[in-house]
Amino acid sequence: MVLRIKRALLRGRHLATGLIRTDPLRAAERRRGTGRPGDGGSGTAVITQTRTRTKRPNLYRVLLLNDDYTPMEFVVHVLQRFFNKDADEATRIMLHVHQNGVGECGVFTYEVAETKVTLVMDFARKHQHPLQCVMEKK
């Protein structure tokens, strides 16, 4: 008896009447004309497609801070070596740092800015200069 009930339930038939049970939701869809094509509906559907947009990464400014001990030639060398500045631009940035106390070397993504700050600080420390390089969110 239990096996007969399970088989009937799996087939979707009602036990007492032997009629095929229908899902009330699908029956309502058939009456309204919605649902899959070929089941009595109109066969039209609206397909929506979502597009994912990538967000631009946050940018960070790399700044050099002025001190009274680091030679100007060393600062120009750092700007040329790590920030790919030509001699004129590196001199202009160095003078700006010297006169204003801080100067921008470039604007980069977080990882690139962090790497450049680390490279400059290690290079200055290796050459025994107290040059400070920091980054800030733009």
Side-chain angles (χ1 to χ4, degrees):
M1 180 69 176
V2 174
L3 187 57
R4 185 173 160 223
I5 294 172
K6 283 185 181 178
R7 280 189 200 149
L9 289 175
L10 288 175
R11 287 190 199 132
R13 294 186 181 270
H14 190 270
L15 266 182
T17 60
L19 298 175
I20 297 176
R21 286 185 295 154
T22 58
D23 185 31
L25 182 61
R26 289 192 184 177
E29 286 175 353
R30 276 192 223 112
R31 283 193 299 273
R32 282 184 303 215
T34 60
R36 288 179 269 153
D39 64 357
S42 63
T44 59
V46 177
I47 299 173
T48 58
Q49 184 179 19
T50 58
R51 290 187 182 174
T52 56
R53 292 191 179 181
T54 55
K55 183 181 168 189
R56 292 200 177 266
N58 292 326
L59 296 178
Y60 292 82
R61 297 172 31 174
V62 177
L63 306 170
L64 280 179
L65 305 178
N66 188 36
D67 62 74
D68 294 334
Y69 303 103
T70 305
M72 293 181 179
E73 295 81 19
F74 183 78
V75 176
V76 170
H77 177 69
V78 165
L79 289 166
Q80 288 176 328
R81 179 173 178 167
F82 296 106
F83 298 99
N84 299 324
K85 305 293 184 187
D86 59 13
D88 292 336
E89 191 174 2
T91 304
R92 185 185 59 75
I93 294 171
M94 178 272 302
L95 288 173
H96 187 272
V97 170
H98 181 68
Q99 293 167 355
N100 300 323
V102 65
E104 182 179 291
C105 304
V107 178
F108 308 98
T109 60
Y110 179 81
E111 292 83 9
V112 174
E114 186 179 38
T115 302
K116 291 203 182 266
V117 168
T118 303
L119 289 172
V120 169
M121 294 293 287
D122 289 346
F123 188 71
R125 199 173 305 119
K126 179 181 173 186
H127 288 87
Q128 299 176 352
H129 293 296
L131 181 66
Q132 293 294 308
C133 186
V134 296
M135 61 188 242
E136 71 176 22
K137 194 170 186 176
K138 188 169 181 179

